[in-house]
């Protein structure tokens, strides 16, 4: 089994298409496929902040739900958008406002379709994806070894938000513990959530959120090859978003 795991997309649909081209994906009668029989996986945070969030949702729905040729785990932004679509009261900030603006441009009929896509994607997704054949676990903000196999609320908070302490930094960002430093497992943990300028490899874990929506790159981690493939972002570069 060969898998290409894609980092946080955040509405950067054009960069996603560029990346898939670079990875060798092709289209036949509107369906994406890879001549080497590779599959796609997504670490979550499909929408918010970028220009084409709804196109990213439609594409991931196509791959994961319609073709059943890929894997998707939700990110914190997916969780919030899902709750918005359910009619819950969520504050349209931190990028959600851009996705809502796109949504409000649609006809009622188109709105129903994309809303249903996101709800289905989210409800059918596991909190984290274990892929035994490539000895890999995919979780949006990562996962410590002791949580693999569990699905409780504590695990949900961790995989969506990371190892947060509840405190915030002076710029408002949450304080996070560095769980990867303590990871001693043998399987790959592939995750995103915290934008980094270069993919960050620590103890058989890799953060592949190379901050595309903040102007850096969109990256994929290929397994079993253990190669990174990236494309340049077309968004303006915002240095302070990178840690
Ligand atoms: Mn993100």
């Amino acid at each position: 089994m060969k898998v290409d795991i894609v980092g946080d997309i955040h509405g950067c649909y054009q960069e996603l298409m560029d990346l898939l081209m670079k990875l060798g994906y092709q289209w036949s009668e509107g369906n994406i496929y890879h001549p080497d029989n590779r599959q796609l996986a997504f670490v979550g945070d499909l929408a918010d902040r970028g220009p084409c969030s709804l196109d990213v949702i439609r594409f991931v729905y196509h791959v994961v739900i319609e073709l059943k040729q890929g894997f998707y785990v939700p990110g914190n932004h997916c969780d919030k958008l899902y709750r918005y679509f359910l009619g819950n009261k969520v504050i349209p900030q931190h990028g959600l406002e851009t996705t809502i603006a796109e949504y409000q441009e649609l006809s009622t009929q188109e709105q129903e379709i994309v809303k249903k896509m996101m709800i289905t994607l989210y409800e059918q997704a596991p909190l984290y994806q274990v892929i035994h054949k490539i000895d890999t676990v995919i979780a949006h903000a990562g996962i410590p070894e002791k949580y693999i196999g569990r699905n409780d609320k504590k695990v949900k908070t961790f995989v969506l938000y990371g190892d947060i302490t509840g405190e915030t930094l002076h710029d408002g960002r949450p304080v996070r513990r560095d769980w990867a430093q303590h990871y001693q497992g043998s399987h790959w943990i592939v995750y995103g959530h915290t934008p980094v300028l270069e993919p960050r490899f620590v103890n058989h874990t890799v953060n592949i959120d190379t901050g595309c929506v903040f102007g850096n790159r969109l990256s994929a981690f290929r397994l079993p090859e253990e190669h990174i493939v990236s494309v340049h972002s077309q968004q303006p570069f915002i240095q302070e978003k990178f840690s």
Side-chain angles (χ1 to χ4, degrees):
M1 188 184 204
K2 296 174 188 169
V3 183
D4 297 320
I5 308 166
V6 180
D8 298 39
I9 304 167
H10 284 297
C12 294
Y13 183 74
Q14 188 51 55
E15 290 88 338
L16 174 61
M17 293 301 111
D18 294 347
L19 180 62
L20 297 178
M21 195 75 89
K22 200 168 173 180
L23 291 167
Y25 286 83
Q26 296 178 15
W27 272 261
S28 167
E29 293 172 6
N31 296 331
I32 191 166
Y33 73 100
H34 197 286
D36 281 345
N37 240 334
R38 304 189 69 93
Q39 289 190 280
L40 283 165
F42 302 92
V43 304
D45 279 5
L46 308 180
D48 295 2
R49 295 198 177 105
C52 305
S53 290
L54 303 185
D55 281 339
V56 176
I57 292 168
R58 292 180 185 109
F59 176 76
V60 174
Y61 181 89
H62 171 67
V63 173
V64 176
I65 305 293
E66 289 177 346
L67 299 179
K68 303 204 178 350
Q69 286 294 316
F71 305 94
Y72 157 76
V73 296
N76 52 311
H77 286 262
C78 306
D79 179 70
K80 202 168 163 196
L81 181 59
Y82 168 71
R83 288 185 283 120
Y84 171 79
F85 280 148
L86 288 186
N88 293 6
K89 218 180 155 136
V90 291
I91 304 167
Q93 60 183 18
H94 305 306
L96 178 62
E97 68 280 9
T98 67
T99 306
I100 293 175
E102 271 189 64
Y103 180 72
Q104 286 172 342
E105 287 293 309
L106 301 178
S107 69
T108 312
Q109 198 186 357
E110 289 170 315
Q111 284 184 347
E112 282 309 308
I113 292 169
V114 80
K115 181 202 283 190
K116 222 179 147 191
M117 283 179 174
M118 189 63 218
I119 289 175
T120 304
L121 259 179
Y122 185 92
E123 290 183 349
Q124 297 200 6
L127 286 180
Y128 53 91
Q129 180 74 54
V130 181
I131 311 179
H132 292 288
K133 284 183 180 168
I134 50 168
D135 201 13
T136 295
V137 181
I138 304 166
H140 177 66
I143 187 166
E145 208 176 6
K146 63 177 181 186
Y147 283 176
I148 299 169
R150 280 172 50 177
N151 278 292
D152 47 90
K153 209 175 163 209
K154 217 170 164 182
V155 176
K156 182 175 178 178
T157 303
F158 195 107
V159 298
L160 290 179
Y161 297 97
D163 200 358
I164 46 175
T165 63
E167 299 157 274
T168 47
L169 299 167
H170 60 276
D171 61 1
R173 286 182 302 165
V175 174
R176 297 172 183 140
R177 291 188 201 95
D178 195 0
W179 63 275
Q181 291 291 355
H182 306 289
Y183 178 71
Q184 295 185 333
S186 58
H187 24 254
W188 275 106
I189 309 280
V190 185
Y191 67 106
H193 186 59
T194 305
V196 283
L197 287 169
E198 296 289 337
R200 178 174 181 260
F201 287 88
V202 178
N203 296 334
H204 238 68
T205 75
V206 59
N207 175 2
I208 55 168
D209 178 10
T210 45
C212 186
V213 78
F214 299 125
N216 189 43
R217 292 198 300 269
L218 183 65
S219 298
F221 187 51
R222 315 194 90 169
L223 285 168
E225 296 89 343
E226 305 184 357
H227 284 168
I228 293 281
V229 175
S230 298
V231 294
H232 286 289
S233 169
Q234 294 170 21
Q235 314 306 316
F237 183 67
I238 309 175
Q239 173 81 57
E240 61 266 29
K241 295 293 183 182
F242 295 89
S243 45

